[in-house]
Each structure stands twice: as C-alpha cells, then as structure tokens.
Amino acid sequence: MILVTGGLGYIGSHTCVSLSDAGQDLVILDNLSNSKAAVLERLREICPNVVQFEKGDIRDKATLTRVFNTFKISAVLHFAGLKAVGESNKSPISYYDNNVGGTLCLLEAMTAAAVRTLVFSSSATVYGDCSDVPIPEDNSRSATNPYGRSKLFIEDILADLYASDNQWRIARLRYFNPVGAHESGRIGEDPVGVPANLMPYIAQVAVGHREQLNVFGGDYPTRDGTGLRDYVHVMDLAEGHVAALRGLQRQGGMLTVNLGTGRGTSVLELINAFSLVSQREIPYKIVERRLGDVAQSYAAVGHAEQILGWKAKRQLSDMCADHWRWQIENPDGYPES
Ligand code: NAD
Ligand code: WQD
C-alpha cells in the first residue's frame, strides 16, 4: 500500500488516480485544511483499487504512528503542505511548521516503521529568480519567499538523510506549473477564494465568476511582452510520480527531477488557447508586473526522460479542454459535505 499525504489536494488526488490505474492500493492522510471530503467520494468513483482515508495532520505523531501500524505501507508520496507564496510572506512560521516541521514528523515516523521510499513534491520555485531557460536540475537554487525556502530546506534535509543512510530511496520532483484536470471532469483544482494562479483565474473568468483577468506585466523581454511559463498537465505530472516510484523501486538512490514540458507559454497564449477551447471570451487588462515574478521559466526535460523514461504527452489544448470540462461541470468546485 502507498501512503499519500495531502492526497485530497489538487496534485495528490490526480496522482492517486494514476497510482490506482497502475494497480496500487492507497491510503490518504489529509487534514482537509485545503481540500474537501467530496474529493474522496469522487476518487472512489474513478479509482479501480482500494482508497483508504485517514483524516489527520502529518505533524501529529500519534496519527502517523497509527497509520503506519494499521496499513502495510511500502512507500510514501508526500504532497501535504501549504503552497501560497503571498500567504507565506505573511505567515512564515506556519509555512515552516507545516512544510518543514510536517516533513520532519513524517520522516521520523517512516524511520520508525522502516519505510524508506519517499517521493517528495518540490517545485521549480527552488530555482529562485533564475530566468536562464531551459532550467536544468543542476542549476543553482535560491528562494525568494518563505514558501520557496521551505522547499529548499526540505530538499536539503532529504539530501542529508540520504547521505546518512543510502538505504533510503528518495525522489525530489520539481514541478513547473501544473494545470488541467482528470479527463472524467470529476476531480480538478478547487482554489479557496481568489485564485492566485493564472489557469484557475482564467477558468473562473470564462465561467462568469470573475469579470476580467489582470495580466501582470506586458513589458517583459518575451515574444509578446507577457511572462512565459511551463504549464504541464496534472495527469502528466501524476504519471511522472508513478514513473518516479518505479524508478526508485528499480534502482534506488536519490533522484532530483524536473517535471515540465520544456515549452514556455505566454499569458496571452494561454488566454487565447483557453478561449478557443471554451468558446468563451476572456476579458483581460494588462496591469503592473507582480512583485517577485520572473520573465520566463521552463524546464530542461532531458533528465526526466533519461532516468524515469517519462515525458509529458499532453498538449496545451488538452490542458485547457480538461480544465474547462472540470470548471463547467463543477462551476462552484466540490460540494461541501
Ligand atoms: P493542495 O493545497 O491542493 O494540496 C495539499 C493537500 O495537503 C491539501 O489537501 C491539504 O488539506 C493537505 N495538507 C496541508 N497541510 C497538511 C498537514 N499538515 N497534514 C495533512 N494534510 C495537509 O496543493 P497542491 O497544488 O496539490 O500541491 C501539492 C504539493 O505540491 C505541495 O507540497 C505543493 O507545495 C507542491 N507544489 C505545488 C505546485 C502547484 O502549482 N500547485 C507547484 C509546485 C509544487
Ligand atoms: C503564471 C503567469 C504571472 C495570475 C506560482 C508559484 C510557484 C508554483 C506555481 C508552487 C505569470 C501571470 C498570474 C494572474 C497573471 N507553486 N499571472 N495574472 O508565478 O509561475 O508560479 O505557482 O510551487 O512557486 O510562484 O504561476 O500561475 O501564479 O503565474 O498575469 O492573475 O501568469 O505573472 O507570468 P507562477 P502563476
């Protein structure tokens, strides 16, 4: 059985489907701080294998001990954590507590249970303000906010752990910009409040929940003046986790891998692609740059292909079509249950 922390969240839930499709039984541990119980019902509809659920916090030792004692866990996929950059500037302590403290608790429990296979959700945010693209894994790392710093700390903790005992099998996966939804339209991204990220914002404008999109900056040194990002379909990302788990099971070691498409898409290109797929107008206005944004960020993807045999397959039009299906079929996100 695989333990999926944060498995009711956006990326974790989609990864549960891919793991289940690959024949794995799962137990999800989530405190529902940024997700709803309805995700579990939807997962049980679409997952072919067993999906167990424990409501609890990764910082709670008793909960972790119970989970490891109850289920025969062979590996952990660790998504649980806080992820909003702006919020992390306002509440750094809760970011370090949840992300770094939570990971330490998990690692202690894994050590006690002799479970030493871990796939960790890192982020392209560890490349800081690097704008030299495509970005390879051996690029220098830095942080521009407490969220990013929490990911740097965890990456370093995992490296120290592996150095202390190379029986550990650890993958540090650096996601670029995950978007889209499962093709069933049953699960997807359900941000609380005003979306901080571009794709969910566009989708909420398209569905009529918001009037217009603010495009942050039209004077970047890019082909149309707006920022370029590496949008990657969340199901490609999910399959990347299955490949990483298989890679660890096959060869062990510590892997550090970018998960992206290697292509940069501008804000205006994404608006156009979404508009085409949804057949809706997306009103927008170009405003000031957002503090802390880089002009461009996209992944060097050779390493993922070489060591995991994984490559993103889905196109931008698939990302928009699947995100739109989810949005139009669930205009208010998941129901409260
Ligand atoms: P999410 O907020 O949708 O999912 C995280 C889940 O973890 C939520 O269901 C939440 O309730 C749960 N959680 C949070 N703290 C917890 C705790 N202490 N104990 C138990 N459960 C807890 O986020 P996501 O977009 O699915 O991101 C998953 C991971 O990927 C995060 O670690 C995030 O930093 C990382 N990541 C996300 C992105 C992105 O753009 N979405 C990009 C790069 C990396
Ligand atoms: C994409 C582009 C914006 C919103 C963030 C985090 C990063 C990672 C993913 C977790 C940029 C522009 C956005 C809007 C806009 N998360 N934009 N109007 O900034 O690449 O990455 O999410 O690890 O850490 O920093 O993604 O979706 O916020 O922005 O014009 O309303 O869209 O300026 O060019 P970003 P994003």
Side-chain angles (χ1 to χ4, degrees), residues 6 8-12 29-35 56-59 79-83 98 121-123 147 151 175-176 178:
L8 297 187
Y10 175 43
I11 304 169
L29 173 62
D30 199 301
N31 66 1
L32 293 169
S33 62
N34 198 35
S35 50
D57 198 297
I58 54 167
R59 293 165 294 178
F79 297 93
L82 304 178
K83 63 163 181 179
N98 245 281
S121 300
S122 189
S123 166
Y147 166 69
K151 292 292 178 189
Y175 316 151
F176 278 68

Side-chain angles (χ1 to χ4, degrees), residues 11 82-85 121-126 144-145 147-148 151 175-179 195-202 213-217 220 226-231 265-267 270-271 285 287-290 292-295 297:
I11 304 169
L82 304 178
K83 63 163 181 179
V85 170
S121 300
S122 189
S123 166
T125 194
V126 301
T144 54
N145 53 69
Y147 166 69
K151 292 292 178 189
Y175 316 151
F176 278 68
N177 291 60
V179 296
N197 295 113
L198 180 60
M199 184 67 130
Y201 205 108
I202 290 179
L213 170 78
N214 286 328
V215 174
F216 299 140
Y220 283 108
T226 65
L228 294 190
R229 293 292 183 275
D230 189 337
Y231 300 99
T265 300
S266 77
V267 177
L270 189 62
I271 294 172
K285 179 173 82 180
V287 300
E288 289 294 287
R289 291 181 181 191
R290 185 173 63 181
D293 273 357
V294 291
S297 163

Side-chain angles (χ1 to χ4, degrees), residues 51-114:
V51 183
Q52 301 274 11
F53 176 62
E54 290 284 320
K55 183 174 179 212
D57 198 297
I58 54 167
R59 293 165 294 178
D60 181 26
K61 211 173 175 169
T63 298
L64 283 172
T65 306
R66 190 180 68 245
V67 168
F68 279 100
N69 285 342
T70 309
F71 302 99
K72 199 170 177 312
I73 292 164
S74 60
V76 179
L77 268 67
H78 176 33
F79 297 93
L82 304 178
K83 63 163 181 179
V85 170
E87 187 186 61
S88 81
N89 285 315
K90 292 191 192 116
S91 314
I93 294 173
S94 62
Y95 272 67
Y96 293 126
D97 179 32
N98 245 281
N99 295 5
V100 182
T103 302
L104 288 174
C105 290
L106 177 66
L107 294 173
E108 276 173 10
M110 288 178 71
T111 304

